[in-house]
Amino acid sequence: MQKINLNFGWQYKMDFCEKYLSGSDDSNFELVNIPHTNIILDYNNFDESEYQFVSCYRKPVNIACELKGKALLLRFEGIASHARLYINGSFVAEHSGGYTPFDIDISDQVIYGAGNLFVIVCDSTEREEIPPFGKVIDYLTYGGIYREVYLEVREKTHIKDIFVRTLDVLAPAKILDMDVELSRVCPGMSVEFKLSSSLNEPVSRFNCTIGNSAKGKVTGKVSGVRLWDVENPVLYTLQAILKINDTEVDSYEVRFGFREAIFRTNGFYLNGKRVKLMGLNRHQAYPYTGYAMPETAQKKDADLLKFELGVNMVRTSHYPQSRHFLDRCDEIGLLVFEEIPGWQHIGNEKWKELSCRNVRDMILRDRNHPAIVLWGVRINESADCDDLYVKTNRIAHELDNTRQTGGVRNFKDSRLLEDVYTYNDFSHHGSNAALELPSKVTGTNAPYLVTEHNGHMFPVKRFDNEGRRLEHALRHMRVLDNMLGSDRISGAIGWCMSDYNTHKDFGSGDRICYHGISDMFRIPKMAWYVYASQQDHTPVLEISSSMDIGEHSGGDLGTVYAFTNCDHIKLYKDNEYIKTFYPDRKLFPNLKHPPVRIDDFIGDLLTKYENISAKDSLRMKNILRHASKYGMNLPLSSKLAMGRLMLKYKLSMDDGMRLFGTYVSNWGGQRISFRFEGCKNGQIVKSVVKSTSESTHLEVRPDSGELIEADTYDVTRIVVRALDQNDNLMNYAIDAMVIETEGPIEIIGPKCIALIGGARAFWIKTAGRSGRALVRIKSEKYGMHEAEFEIKKFLR
């Protein structure tokens, strides 16, 4: 098989008329590369109708004479949302739906030995017969040819598809049970199979002959292979070589893993071991470009989920996502719940037919991914619809009898046609139980998985006040603790990884839903560290407060939380030891790493410096804390206690004010510094210092210093943060800056930006040449900062 990438050098225009079908009119066409969004949107405050129009893509393609007699399959991985293909002015085919790929055999439509004009008419309007459209949707679908395009050159007789099932994986000898589909059958056909590991070590090989059917089943036994799991995601490659009379005519490769994944009434089991699922939902959307991001960005999201957040599952809400994202999930051991496009609405019969086709296309594309453990065959949060969901479940089980099905609903006692009861539990409002009991949600004894929680119940912006950001984090933590303590709940998938653009009916009125644990640029909110603190690979110590009294009502610091995976935290105030604090296992008994509650910022200082006894010191600390909360209007009990202490220690009112100023408010005093030391196994592994800001600086951090242009252009993200002298984020910095570039790179989005909540990110992309590149960030406050990049071109 030969693969010819067609991602560079497309002509693009934001309208369409019949004359564009010929190559005679080249005026006013923009030269673009794929992936491509039909329009660059603002970050927020736009009208979603801006991307809903019909556009035109054209590309001249030379088809060599030697390709005549071959099968030419033109493959589009994703076009939003309806496409018509014309070749040399003649209509060839059309496709409805923006989330699944489609192939078109163009062998008889092209001219060999000459140039051909490929034209795609891209309709990005919300056509009511295409899922998820027909009513309102709480996300944007964007437009354009936003995933890759390529031409597959195959022999007329070739292998079309192989589905690999791994059976008896817990036995010494594992079984490979394979469905093989050929384009056609010829006498003397046979297939040789070679199995190798990800280290390219040969494992096994076997042969089979082909009967009279283009679809067949092949079974083989293998031993000595390793299992795929979340900690050791071992992958294998099966190469199938098609022969006719012992002459090789075609080859086909499939990557897969040996694993068994089952949802049971008492939880989820991977390779016979019970695994609690802690995950997040993901939209594939990015600022400015919407869905149109290449391989590097897609894989980066998977890495963030697995390595920085430490989750073990992701739900592809609410549609099939990039193959690059799924490939990376396979490689790093991130479990996936993948579902068909849709949001609450069920349309007419044509709409339902397309939903059934979406199930088929999704499974046929992705069923060899070991990371995928559950098929979503129901429209997210839709009403019961037996005539549709009987069909979608049947299709799923016919195409893949190794995985269970789920269907996400947001109401109780739904008719269960799937294998797993998947439920969006938005019951928690801060002071009640974090999750509903499964027995109260469904009368069935089916496996049970929470597929969304929090989200719209408590939207939070990164620049919200400290208290709101903290409550957001605690709500996520309460749900995770509740889930971990329930034998009936397989896991909980939070809503959601990142903020996302939305329609006018949702969000904060600026076309953004602030439901994520990070913003649209993947910059963390406080809730990010709830998840990150549950892993043990990297030390985490996130302090919930800036320790500025003005962030708190009455100037009372109250309780400060540390989201950490440390064993304990030592607190120092101006280098004076205050106290050691431990994880709160009383309120969060089920978490691996509960948060640490810090509620004493005086410690033994009153005893040490004021000669107040330890017993009276506790009373005095409570009084001072009440004074911070109530001012001069102390509760009677506090007034009486204060009077007794003043008499006992011969303190005047001025002495009382001095104690408050010294140990609580510090008005007019020297700058106070709090140092939090996170310790693990007796060693300091992470230290955080909080004090009043006295200087600021700008940190510029690219995800990568190397970009490689291969099948398409490459991108990398650059994160810019305003930090104080202790490298703490300046949460309310909004400074403006200008971005300039040198060399073969381009900025995605505007070149003049402002910090949002003290931080901002942007992406750069390659521009068709290799060499050195430079990004300059100029700010009136922070001066100029530079980042260097090496750009490489590599044609695969």
Side-chain angles (χ1 to χ4, degrees):
M1 179 182 73
Q2 180 186 2
K3 181 178 175 181
I4 301 173
N5 289 296
L6 301 176
N7 296 312
F8 294 100
W10 285 80
Q11 301 169 358
Y12 174 69
K13 203 165 185 183
M14 294 172 61
D15 63 0
F16 172 73
C17 64
E18 294 294 326
K19 66 179 181 179
Y20 298 164
L21 296 177
S22 70
S24 58
D25 180 10
D26 291 329
S27 62
N28 299 318
F29 274 85
E30 177 187 2
L31 198 63
V32 301
N33 298 322
I34 308 300
H36 181 259
T37 183
N38 63 348
I39 187 172
I40 295 288
L41 292 169
D42 290 333
Y43 169 67
N44 60 356
N45 295 318
F46 54 83
D47 188 325
E48 60 266 32
S49 65
E50 291 178 28
Y51 70 81
Q52 295 178 32
F53 57 88
V54 178
S55 58
C56 181
Y57 291 83
R58 306 192 315 185
K59 181 173 178 61
V61 180
N62 289 318
I63 305 295
C65 288
E66 55 265 29
L67 299 183
K68 194 168 187 178
K70 306 283 189 182
L72 305 183
L73 303 176
L74 182 60
R75 185 172 179 86
F76 295 90
E77 300 216 338
I79 298 179
S81 289
H82 181 273
R84 299 198 312 273
L85 169 66
Y86 295 83
I87 295 180
N88 300 326
S90 298
F91 173 77
V92 176
E94 65 181 332
H95 181 266
S96 295
Y99 298 103
T100 52
F102 58 100
D103 298 328
I104 303 168
D105 190 335
I106 61 170
S107 308
D108 298 330
Q109 276 74 37
V110 297
I111 302 172
Y112 294 89
N116 296 266
L117 184 65
F118 291 3
V119 177
I120 294 292
V121 180
C122 176
D123 186 349
S124 301
T125 62
E126 297 187 356
R127 296 168 60 148
E128 66 177 12
E129 78 276 12
I130 302 176
F133 307 126
K135 206 175 180 183
V136 295
I137 319 167
D138 179 23
Y139 56 93
L140 298 188
T141 56
Y142 306 101
I145 306 179
Y146 74 93
R147 291 180 186 161
E148 291 89 341
V149 184
Y150 55 89
L151 186 64
E152 275 190 7
V153 181
R154 312 291 301 274
E155 298 296 329
K156 289 290 187 180
T157 303
H158 61 268
I159 301 171
K160 291 181 65 176
D161 184 50
I162 297 178
F163 173 38
V164 179
R165 300 178 189 85
T166 58
L167 308 177
D168 291 350
V169 299
L170 302 182
K174 288 97 169 95
I175 295 176
L176 284 180
D177 184 54
M178 298 168 287
D179 291 343
V180 180
E181 183 179 0
L182 307 177
S183 61
R184 61 184 183 183
V185 177
C186 301
M189 293 180 68
S190 63
V191 181
E192 178 184 356
F193 295 95
K194 297 180 180 178
L195 184 65
S196 60
S197 74
S198 52
L199 301 176
N200 205 31
E201 300 168 343
V203 176
S204 179
R205 64 172 63 197
F206 47 92
N207 297 282
C208 74
T209 57
I210 302 298
N212 296 323
S213 175
K215 292 183 178 181
K217 184 178 288 289
V218 179
T219 301
K221 283 191 175 183
V222 295
S223 57
V225 297
R226 292 171 290 170
L227 299 185
W228 184 99
D229 63 29
V230 293
E231 297 299 329
N232 297 290
V234 181
L235 293 170
Y236 289 86
T237 298
L238 180 74
Q239 182 186 25
I241 301 171
L242 178 64
K243 298 179 179 180
I244 300 178
N245 297 325
D246 294 328
T247 300
E248 181 178 332
V249 294
D250 187 44
S251 66
Y252 189 94
E253 287 190 355
V254 176
R255 192 175 70 168
F256 68 100
F258 289 87
R259 64 107 181 97
E260 177 189 74
I262 302 174
F263 288 85
R264 295 192 174 109
T265 300
N266 65 340
F268 171 74
Y269 289 79
L270 183 64
N271 302 328
K273 179 182 177 181
R274 188 180 178 195
V275 177
K276 275 289 190 176
L277 300 174
M278 184 182 299
L280 289 162
N281 287 265
R282 181 216 186 214
H283 271 303
Q284 64 179 15
Y286 297 82
Y288 309 116
T289 62
Y291 290 161
M293 275 290 196
E295 178 178 354
T296 299
Q298 304 290 342
K299 290 189 171 183
K300 178 64 177 179
D301 269 8
D303 285 347
L304 289 174
L305 287 161
K306 174 72 175 187
F307 299 119
E308 292 198 20
L309 284 161
V311 302
N312 58 16
M313 187 173 217
V314 60
R315 173 178 170 225
T316 65
S317 50
H318 302 287
Y319 39 77
Q321 298 189 1
S322 164
R323 64 179 171 91
H324 301 303
F325 178 75
L326 298 175
D327 283 344
R328 189 58 179 161
C329 291
D330 289 342
E331 293 161 1
I332 62 179
L334 181 61
L335 301 169
V336 179
F337 171 20
E338 187 174 37
E339 66 182 350
I340 57 174
W343 198 83
Q344 296 189 345
H345 168 71
I346 297 174
N348 59 23
E349 290 306 311
K350 174 64 175 175
W351 196 99
K352 293 177 182 178
E353 288 176 14
L354 286 176
S355 285
C356 290
R357 196 198 68 191
N358 285 334
V359 173
R360 182 176 300 279
D361 291 348
M362 173 181 72
I363 294 175
L364 287 176
R365 185 192 72 160
D366 294 332
R367 59 186 177 175
N368 284 309
H369 287 283
I372 297 175
V373 295
L374 191 64
W375 296 123
V377 297
R378 179 186 176 111
I379 303 303
N380 174 68
E381 297 185 344
S382 61
D384 288 340
C385 183
D386 286 8
D387 70 315
L388 173 61
Y389 295 137
V390 166
K391 292 177 183 176
T392 59
N393 274 275
R394 185 183 67 246
I395 292 169
H397 288 128
E398 286 175 351
L399 293 175
D400 178 12
N401 59 1
T402 69
R403 290 179 179 88
Q404 292 159 293
T405 60
V408 174
R409 63 267 287 152
N410 61 349
F411 58 96
K412 301 177 183 180
D413 298 317
S414 169
R415 175 108 159 98
L416 182 62
L417 299 172
E418 304 84 23
D419 302 309
V420 182
Y421 200 100
T422 46
Y423 180 65
N424 291 345
D425 188 335
F426 293 116
S427 59
H428 186 49
H429 52 71
S431 59
N432 63 335
L435 291 172
E436 297 191 77
L437 294 173
S439 60
K440 301 294 185 182
V441 176
T442 173
T444 72
N445 200 33
Y448 187 90
L449 174 67
V450 174
T451 40
E452 294 182 30
H453 58 81
N454 285 298
H456 70 282
M457 296 299 292
F458 202 78
V460 171
K461 305 171 180 65
R462 282 202 310 103
F463 48 88
D464 275 340
N465 68 69
E466 191 174 284
R468 189 167 182 86
R469 286 182 275 125
L470 172 59
E471 175 60 18
H472 183 227
L474 291 175
R475 289 190 181 202
H476 275 267
M477 185 151 268
R478 293 180 198 121
V479 168
L480 296 182
D481 186 77
N482 187 302
M483 174 272 292
L484 290 168
S486 170
D487 288 334
R488 276 286 285 119
I489 304 176
S490 296
I493 308 173
W495 190 265
C496 58
M497 175 187 176
S498 301
D499 296 342
Y500 55 96
N501 287 131
T502 190
H503 286 74
K504 62 177 177 58
D505 314 86
F506 306 96
S508 295
D510 62 348
R511 301 307 194 275
I512 295 179
C513 272
Y514 294 96
H515 299 174
I517 62 166
S518 69
D519 68 10
M520 288 179 64
F521 300 101
R522 282 61 173 167
I523 299 174
K525 302 177 188 177
M526 196 180 297
W528 179 281
Y529 300 99
V530 169
Y531 293 86
S533 64
Q534 300 310 301
Q535 51 81 34
D536 288 311
H537 302 295
T538 305
V540 172
L541 178 56
E542 179 68 13
I543 305 301
S544 71
S545 179
S546 66
M547 308 302 289
D548 294 307
I549 60 173
E551 266 291 275
H552 305 266
S553 299
D556 179 17
L557 287 174
T559 300
V560 172
Y561 284 80
F563 300 104
T564 182
N565 50 13
C566 296
D567 296 334
H568 58 264
I569 293 172
K570 292 182 177 181
L571 173 63
Y572 296 81
K573 182 179 180 181
D574 290 336
N575 293 320
E576 291 269 11
Y577 171 74
I578 300 298
K579 192 174 180 179
T580 298
F581 298 89
Y582 294 88
D584 187 353
R585 300 195 180 277
K586 182 177 181 181
L587 286 180
F588 300 94
N590 305 302
L591 284 168
K592 185 177 184 180
H593 298 293
V596 176
R597 298 172 75 248
I598 303 168
D599 55 5
D600 183 357
F601 306 100
I602 299 175
D604 297 331
L605 298 184
L606 291 171
T607 300
K608 183 175 182 180
Y609 292 108
E610 307 295 339
N611 293 318
I612 298 175
S613 70
K615 186 176 181 180
D616 287 338
S617 174
L618 291 175
R619 296 190 180 101
M620 182 63 78
K621 283 192 286 187
N622 286 331
I623 293 167
L624 293 175
R625 186 166 182 176
H626 281 165
S628 177
K629 185 175 183 179
Y630 299 109
M632 300 302 292
N633 299 313
L634 284 173
L636 180 60
S637 60
S638 295
K639 287 181 179 179
L640 293 174
M642 185 64 184
R644 286 192 292 267
L645 289 173
M646 291 177 75
L647 284 173
K648 181 177 180 178
Y649 291 97
K650 298 179 181 180
L651 300 173
S652 66
M653 183 60 71
D654 286 344
D655 289 330
M657 297 298 290
R658 179 186 62 79
L659 289 175
F660 182 80
T662 301
Y663 296 100
V664 180
S665 69
N666 195 46
W667 295 337
Q670 297 295 318
R671 179 171 58 86
I672 294 178
S673 175
F674 293 92
R675 186 171 79 253
F676 304 82
E677 291 183 349
C679 301
K680 201 168 185 67
N681 299 322
Q683 302 294 318
I684 299 172
V685 295
K686 189 92 172 173
S687 181
V688 174
V689 177
K690 300 277 187 173
S691 60
T692 305
S693 171
E694 61 180 13
S695 66
T696 59
H697 61 281
L698 203 66
E699 177 192 74
V700 178
R701 180 175 294 179
D703 286 340
S704 174
E706 181 180 83
L707 287 81
I708 300 175
E709 192 166 279
D711 292 351
T712 183
Y713 60 86
D714 196 11
V715 300
T716 195
R717 181 186 60 153
I718 302 173
V719 179
V720 182
R721 300 195 303 157
L723 306 176
D724 68 8
Q725 70 277 6
N726 299 311
D727 287 339
N728 296 307
L729 183 68
M730 304 293 292
N731 287 297
Y732 303 121
I734 56 172
D735 305 274
M737 52 197 66
V738 175
I739 310 167
E740 297 177 350
T741 62
E742 283 186 13
I745 55 173
E746 298 174 1
I747 302 295
I748 297 177
K751 296 178 176 60
C752 181
I753 62 175
L755 298 176
I756 302 172
R760 187 69 178 258
F762 58 92
W763 281 263
I764 59 173
K765 66 178 181 178
T766 58
R769 306 185 312 279
S770 59
R772 305 293 291 180
L774 190 70
V775 171
R776 291 193 188 91
I777 300 172
K778 296 181 178 179
S779 164
E780 184 175 331
K781 180 173 183 177
Y782 301 106
M784 185 177 73
H785 294 258
E786 294 183 341
E788 287 192 13
F789 300 89
E790 183 177 359
I791 314 301
K792 298 179 179 180
K793 285 180 68 68
F794 174 66
L795 298 179
R796 288 191 282 209

